[in-house]
Amino acid sequence: MARLIVKCGGAKLITHELVGDVTMIGRSPRNHIVIDHPTVSAQHAILARVGGSYRLKDLHSTNGTQINSISITDTELKYGDKIRFGSTVAIFWGIVSQELIKQIRV
């Protein structure tokens, strides 16, 4: 199962299993994944399962979305992609491993 692992303040990591076809991401409590940080827009991005893959679309957020340090508006994700919502970092992944957790903390 796909997961989004979000680094929230300091070294705290929160893992979100992507169970539905559509996952809303943003600062507002109405989102499926809430990232409570001032650089994250209320409705920042949408993550959608399309067949066997996932697409990430920025919802015209104030501070943008980057995949592997490249600004995006809409793109297909690959496991291991490093995502930046504003200044908050996340990793798109399948199985969570200790090695992955070390990569995120760096």
Side-chain angles (χ1 to χ4, degrees), residues 1 4 11 18 27 33 36 46-47 55-56 78 93 99-101:
M1 173 173 293
L4 190 66
L18 304 175
R27 196 176 65 244
I33 297 176
D36 188 18
I46 185 169
L47 206 160
R55 293 196 69 80
L56 183 67
K78 295 176 286 312
W93 204 254
E99 184 59 34
L100 174 65
I101 290 170

Side-chain angles (χ1 to χ4, degrees), residues 4-8 16 18 23-27 33-41 43-47 55-59 61-67 72 77 81-92:
L4 190 66
I5 304 161
V6 181
K7 183 177 181 180
C8 295
H16 301 275
L18 304 175
T23 302
M24 298 297 297
I25 302 165
R27 196 176 65 244
I33 297 176
V34 177
I35 303 174
D36 188 18
H37 192 276
T39 63
V40 176
S41 293
Q43 282 77 41
H44 197 101
I46 185 169
L47 206 160
R55 293 196 69 80
L56 183 67
K57 180 177 182 178
D58 183 86
L59 298 175
S61 64
T62 302
N63 293 304
T65 302
Q66 294 182 348
I67 305 289
I72 63 98
L77 291 174
D81 278 345
K82 183 177 179 181
I83 306 166
R84 188 174 288 275
F85 303 103
S87 64
T88 300
V89 175
I91 300 286
F92 178 69

